[in-house]
Amino acid sequence: MDERRVEFQASHELLQATMDASTDMIQVFEAIRDASGRIMDFRWVLNNHTSQRRYGEVRGESLLQRNPGVLEEGIFDAFCRVTETGEPEQAEHHYVHEQFDGWFFQTVVKLGDGVATTTRDITEWKESQAEIARLREEVVKAQLAETEGQLAAIFATAPVGLSVLSLDGRFLRVNDELCRILARSRETVLDLCVPDVTHPDDVMPSLAAIGDAVATGRPATLDKRYVRPDGSLVWASSTLSVLPKGDGQPDRLLVVTADLSERRKAEDALRRSETLQRVLIAELQHRTSNLLGVVRSIVDNTSRSANSLADFRARFDDRLNALSRVQTLLSRLNEHDRVTFDGLLQAELAAMDGCPDAVTMTGPAGVRLRSSTVHTLAMAIHELATNAIKYGALGQAGGRLAIGWTLEADGPGGKPWLHIDWRESGVRMASKGAWPKGTGQGRELIERALPYQLGARTTYSLGLDGVHCTISIPVSATVCANGGGPT
């Protein structure tokens, strides 16, 4: 027994020495329970020297009687939880009770039917942290003041519209560019809200964008129309971002507004250009197809009527030249123009070596031809003129050629029709058998090709003193601005 007592005393002294070596307060408590086993209080069992300097000799005393503040701070409840569960706990406490006024960091662990605690006074550390925080805040305020000055300058001179809105859409701050976009003074804008300057159809999307930005905290962007005081509209792209308060809650909105007027003009011009390009490509394809069909027909007809390869080449070149003249007329047209009948007729006759004094032309100027009819009609005029020079009124002394035309505004099918009358006179007609081979190609073109390809109505007759031909074809519904008078 004496040996055990000696060993116990040695262990107790070693534990006490270990505890006394710590600068933290180390205390051991045992639980005081009622008859039902519920913890009612704790009793000091051991204290180290650091704790004794604070408390004095407290072994055997009641915790709640000596330090009732542990109830208010939740320390007593923590002791109970650790005693019952065995799970250690750590916590900071600002303990301002009894003889204490400071910050403490306490670790509580289970020991038998009670707890052992290690408590460190962190008051000075807390105070130093608070001082660091205060100094940091002063630095931040100084930096913020400088930054706000810089931001104010940027806000005022930004090349985009800038505004600060309340969460219900009232203007709180605006820059010069936004005032320019809205065509209002700063004072006027600051008396308005978003719906006051927005096109009625864009009010709901604008309010929805505000709601989305506030609800999600993410920027919201929309293109919208602003209404100026004179009723004119200006398209702009607005991006709304939340400006939070110190607690992170939405407070205001920053709106960046970019004027889209020039961009939309460019987009409209591009769309018009693309539309025009498609029309021109379709027209080119149509004209190319027509031209190839005419060339194919010329080759077929010329090869059938030619006496030799040299004769074929001469006739083919002559007809290709006629087509080339038509292409020259087409290449000189503006975007929506058409070749006119009088322009086509004059170009063809001017290219012939006939007698211009023998020709009379009467009819309205500026009758616009359909692009699908130009090539075939030009070849018909060419054939008539060629035959007139070789065998008819333009190749004989005393011969006369009268070309007249009229425009029927409401012709067959309710469409405008051009009626052409080609009449030669004073011609000494050769006998039928004396006409060279191939002189019927022009007649075949007029009597068969024009009705088939263009839906034309034609007549062709060889009178006693020359050729008489009539051609009626549908034409464009409009007349050139300089048209309407006789040629």
Side-chain angles (χ1 to χ4, degrees), residues 353-381:
D353 295 328
C355 303
D357 295 339
V359 180
T360 301
M361 294 186 290
T362 307
V367 178
R368 290 152 55 105
L369 302 174
R370 295 179 176 180
S371 58
S372 59
T373 69
V374 172
H375 291 107
T376 305
L377 181 60
M379 294 309 302
I381 299 297

Side-chain angles (χ1 to χ4, degrees), residues 211-287:
D212 289 344
V214 172
T216 65
R218 295 190 298 269
T221 300
L222 79 159
D223 290 355
K224 58 180 289 186
R225 290 160 290 182
Y226 287 102
V227 182
R228 289 173 167 170
D230 62 0
S232 62
L233 301 178
V234 56
W235 276 94
S237 176
S238 293
T239 300
L240 302 88
S241 302
V242 171
L243 296 175
K245 294 186 293 186
D247 58 2
Q249 295 301 310
D251 181 36
R252 295 166 297 166
L253 293 165
L254 174 65
V255 183
V256 180
T257 303
D259 189 342
L260 299 181
S261 300
E262 294 303 320
R263 191 187 83 180
R264 291 187 71 86
K265 288 179 182 178
E267 290 174 348
D268 290 343
L270 178 60
R271 281 192 293 269
R272 289 194 298 270
S273 175
E274 291 174 344
T275 300
L276 175 60
Q277 185 179 37
R278 287 193 294 268
V279 170
L280 293 177
I281 290 174
E283 180 69 12
L284 177 62
Q285 291 173 336
H286 181 65
R287 290 184 180 181

Side-chain angles (χ1 to χ4, degrees), residues 387 435-445:
N387 288 336
W435 283 65
K437 180 183 178 183
T439 56
Q441 182 173 346
R443 184 169 187 172
E444 180 179 352
L445 174 64

Side-chain angles (χ1 to χ4, degrees), residues 280-296 323 327 330 371-372 375:
L280 293 177
I281 290 174
E283 180 69 12
L284 177 62
Q285 291 173 336
H286 181 65
R287 290 184 180 181
T288 302
S289 177
N290 288 341
L291 181 59
L292 290 175
V294 172
V295 172
R296 188 179 296 109
L323 279 181
Q327 288 302 113
L330 290 171
S371 58
S372 59
H375 291 107

